[in-house]
Amino acid sequence: MSKPVRILGIETSCDETAAAVVQDGRTVLSNVVHTQIPLHKKFGGVVPELASRNHVEKIGTVVRAALDGAGMGLDDLDAIAVTNGPGLVGALLVGVSYAKALAYSKKLPLIGTHHLLGHIAANYISNFELEPPFCCLIASGGHSEIVEVKSYVDVSHIGSTRDDAAGEAFDKVARALKLPYPGGPELEKLAENGNPHAVAFRSKFNEGEGFDMSFSGIKTAVVNHLQAHPDANLADVAASFQFAVNTVLSDKAVRAATHTLALAGGVSANKNLRTMLKTKSEKKGIRFFCPDFVYCTDNAAMIASAAFYLLSAGKISDLSLNAVPYLDLC
Ligand code: KG4
Ligand code: ZN
């Protein structure tokens, strides 16, 4: 048997400082996430400058905790992986600089990893049998994409949002409902006691045959509804909004899939979306996969997992690696 490959992953693209050690792309030896939610909560959203500064403060402790958790030191590692985009440039730079310093000092391969390739890889950790090719719906705070995962390192575009990302729409509607940041999980909680069919929030764009999506019309319809009905039942509004967004996501993704569909990104933690995708996939005879809840939102285990396959494909970065806020996936 060949020697196991152990990769330290580092993720600082937004408001989580995360580090993890993953073996052979699928086995998580440690997974440490320091969330900045309490820091940003009073501002109702992520403040980029505060995020960068907090990453600088925490990254050393978080990396140390990941190594300790895996019971190893830097000398036991085979590579250093880091998210180099997309994300907040100042936040990304903290992880990229830290990873470069570690790789240089220990003469280890450095693997710049796309954040969304990481979200896709969260599925490999949770589902040992999943292998490309498959169709993947990525729904996060910054992106909503339907892609074909042709191989572990090659992804092609099928459809994407024309405006707000799904998570962004959840967060904005949550704010309109006066829920605290981050809005997605709070809105999901409120929706549990509401009627998803109370209000039909539709957007004509999504009714077409294409795979592109639009969420800003749905969001505006909710805001208008709240203004016109100050006494609206907020749980009903939340449930109806969630139903509208998840219907678009699940209808388009299941239609795009031919045999296997996976779900990725922070919104993959939404139980209603998971259920809708599972039910619709089963109806069409499609295998459906999603990550365990712990790997849905930003973490570094998913980055180390994706990096294992990049390393296997010889896709190694050099020390000129930079943070790229708008890095393309395909
Ligand atoms: O992937 P992620 O952690 O960060 C980005 O890469 O953007 O995704 C965060 C997004 C936020 O918009 C958050 O509100 C949303 O995912 N989210 C949810 C849920 N959990 C997180 N949206 C709906 N329901 C959830 N349970
Ligand atoms: Zn993310």
Side-chain angles (χ1 to χ4, degrees):
M1 233 166 85
S2 57
K3 187 182 163 295
V5 175
R6 287 151 175 179
I7 300 182
L8 171 70
I10 296 176
E11 154 66 44
T12 64
S13 68
C14 189
D15 57 349
E16 262 89 32
T17 317
V21 180
V22 175
Q23 182 169 306
D24 295 336
R26 302 259 179 174
T27 306
V28 178
L29 303 181
S30 67
N31 182 37
V32 179
V33 180
H34 163 75
T35 181
Q36 301 180 350
I37 288 173
L39 185 68
H40 301 291
K41 207 167 197 133
K42 57 179 173 291
F43 302 102
V46 179
V47 182
E49 179 62 20
L50 290 182
S52 316
R53 286 166 188 259
N54 197 248
H55 285 309
V56 172
E57 248 176 64
K58 298 292 178 199
I59 191 160
T61 320
V62 168
V63 167
R64 171 51 56 203
L67 290 169
D68 288 350
M72 52 182 63
L74 289 170
D75 292 328
D76 302 311
L77 296 172
D78 297 287
I80 309 285
V82 64
T83 306
N84 69 313
L88 301 170
V89 68
L92 287 164
L93 273 171
V94 178
V96 168
S97 311
Y98 200 91
K100 278 159 81 166
L102 286 182
Y104 178 70
S105 64
K106 289 291 165 185
K107 301 203 168 27
L108 288 169
L110 172 71
I111 306 162
T113 305
H114 194 288
H115 183 74
L116 298 185
L117 203 58
H119 273 303
I120 295 168
N123 281 285
Y124 305 141
I125 296 170
S126 300
N127 306 288
F128 259 59
E129 68 274 40
L130 177 64
E131 287 179 357
F134 58 89
C135 178
C136 188
L137 167 65
I138 311 168
S140 72
H143 296 84
S144 296
E145 314 266 346
I146 300 171
V147 296
E148 176 68 12
V149 181
K150 296 197 282 190
S151 78
Y152 286 106
V153 297
D154 188 13
V155 172
S156 67
H157 175 266
I158 297 177
S160 53
T161 180
R162 291 283 182 94
D163 38 58
D164 291 359
E168 185 182 358
F170 265 95
D171 292 341
K172 287 178 176 169
V173 167
R175 205 171 306 155
L177 292 167
K178 307 223 167 13
L179 296 170
Y181 158 87
E186 295 287 336
L187 192 148
E188 178 179 29
K189 258 188 255 162
L190 178 61
E192 274 163 23
N193 301 315
N195 171 11
H197 306 294
V199 195
F201 294 123
R202 305 258 288 276
S203 131
K204 198 112 193 72
F205 179 88
N206 296 308
E207 286 161 21
E209 283 302 294
F211 292 106
D212 280 354
M213 302 161 272
S214 162
F215 298 111
S216 87
I218 300 175
K219 171 197 68 188
T220 307
V222 175
V223 172
N224 290 343
H225 181 84
L226 288 172
Q227 272 168 3
H229 304 87
D231 298 327
N233 178 320
L234 298 186
D236 282 353
V237 173
S240 300
F241 163 77
Q242 179 176 263
F243 177 80
V245 169
N246 289 350
T247 299
V248 173
L249 289 169
S250 55
D251 281 352
K252 302 242 176 208
V254 172
R255 192 154 51 77
T258 48
H259 51 86
T260 310
L261 176 64
L263 172 64
V267 185
S268 66
N270 187 277
K271 292 189 275 306
N272 176 259
L273 178 60
R274 293 160 82 103
T275 307
M276 267 196 191
L277 283 164
K278 189 166 183 292
T279 310
K280 291 177 188 180
S281 295
E282 275 168 7
K283 251 193 202 155
K284 201 181 153 189
I286 285 169
R287 298 190 310 158
F288 173 66
F289 296 93
C290 52
D292 292 329
F293 285 108
V294 65
Y295 303 119
C296 287
T297 46
D298 290 351
N299 66 88
M302 68 185 199
I303 300 302
S305 170
F308 170 77
Y309 296 104
L310 290 168
L311 179 67
S312 309
K315 293 185 181 284
I316 297 169
S317 311
D318 61 34
L319 290 171
S320 68
L321 182 73
N322 206 351
V324 185
Y326 296 101
L327 187 61
D328 283 336
L329 177 62
C330 39

